Amino acid sequence: MRRRQAASCRGHIQSHPKWGASFAALAASEADRKGLAHVTAMSSAEPSPGHSRRDFLYIATGAVAAVGVAGALWPLISQMNPDASTIAAGAPIEVDLTPVAEGQVIKVFWRSKPIFINHRTKKQIEDAQNVNVSKLPDPQPDSARVKAGHDQWQVLIAICTHLGCIPLADQGPYDGYFCPCHGSVYDTSGRIRQGPAPLNLALPPYEFISDSKIRIG
Ligand code: FES
């Protein structure tokens, strides 16, 4: 009789619009009272004397549900707090080009993406300019891929346009970039010349804020 009343009471709480949301917590405290708070639904423990297996599963499920709700809420609340890395990930970065020697390529990170900054030699610039653009898989003149008056600086997002590997700089038959994953070859303008990549390496948004400093982003 007592068990039937309890079951009836639980059914009422579970379906009541006001108390339904609190049911998991009540079930958890009931589990505490009955010494079952540390038993999970995966436990193979038998129900204690005087309690049916159905009660045991019912209470254990309630306790797990309470933990589950708290667990689900935490990441939600946590996501609402912007953290420093998120702010930093979206912020523009400034790069001093002074230490980058001619012929040298450096790699920096912007928004967690690798960026190549290539201080091109005179020969590399000429090679990039003296190309029959109409024959390229992704036709683009070199002038569209550098800033006017700064031909020596090539700034690229270092992510292969095939499947996203990071190419190697100063590699391949065009003295540009080579992606070892499936053999895509880019020239010193970052244009695709051979291999499966369909597009040129992308350019990040950037500007020269002085002759020797750029802001990316
Ligand atoms: S990911 Fe670069 S060639 Fe496939």
Side-chain angles (χ1 to χ4, degrees):
M1 176 66 180
R2 182 181 287 178
R3 189 176 302 155
R4 265 208 307 277
Q5 282 174 340
S8 160
C9 181
R10 282 194 297 263
H12 173 70
I13 291 170
Q14 199 166 18
S15 61
H16 193 287
K18 181 174 177 184
W19 295 101
S22 305
F23 177 70
L26 287 172
S29 76
E30 188 178 6
D32 271 338
R33 191 169 59 77
K34 295 186 179 184
L36 292 170
H38 301 293
V39 179
T40 71
M42 299 300 291
S43 170
S44 62
E46 287 301 311
S48 58
H51 296 89
S52 72
R53 183 158 190 84
R54 191 170 174 180
D55 279 347
F56 164 72
L57 289 173
Y58 188 78
I59 292 162
T61 305
V64 170
V67 172
V69 168
L73 276 176
W74 170 246
L76 188 65
I77 293 166
S78 162
Q79 277 172 18
M80 291 164 72
N81 298 320
D83 66 24
S85 64
T86 303
I87 294 167
I93 59 167
E94 293 184 359
V95 183
D96 180 12
L97 304 175
T98 313
V100 188
E102 193 175 298
Q104 188 179 16
V105 182
I106 63 166
K107 184 162 71 178
V108 299
F109 285 87
W110 168 71
R111 293 192 176 177
S112 305
K113 293 181 182 141
I115 307 285
F116 281 147
I117 302 175
N118 185 355
H119 189 173
R120 300 190 297 184
T121 62
K122 201 163 181 309
K123 179 170 185 315
Q124 286 177 319
I125 297 168
E126 285 170 1
D127 288 348
Q129 291 174 342
N130 298 328
V131 168
N132 184 348
V133 172
S134 66
K135 295 225 164 106
L136 298 177
D138 183 13
Q140 233 184 351
D142 185 62
S143 58
R145 298 181 54 79
V146 294
K147 299 293 185 194
H150 299 282
D151 290 349
Q152 71 274 40
W153 295 108
Q154 176 67 66
V155 183
L156 304 162
I157 296 178
I159 297 177
C160 181
T161 60
H162 181 221
L163 292 177
C165 289
I166 299 177
L168 304 171
D170 279 331
Q171 303 277 330
Y174 296 91
D175 195 21
Y177 311 90
F178 174 69
C179 181
C181 290
H182 309 95
S184 288
V185 175
Y186 301 87
D187 64 17
T188 54
S189 196
R191 293 170 299 198
I192 181 65
R193 303 297 287 270
Q194 295 173 5
L199 298 170
N200 302 332
L201 293 176
L203 310 178
Y206 75 97
E207 61 180 346
F208 278 85
I209 52 179
S210 75
D211 261 358
S212 58
K213 191 177 272 190
I214 57 173
R215 180 187 292 124
I216 303 173

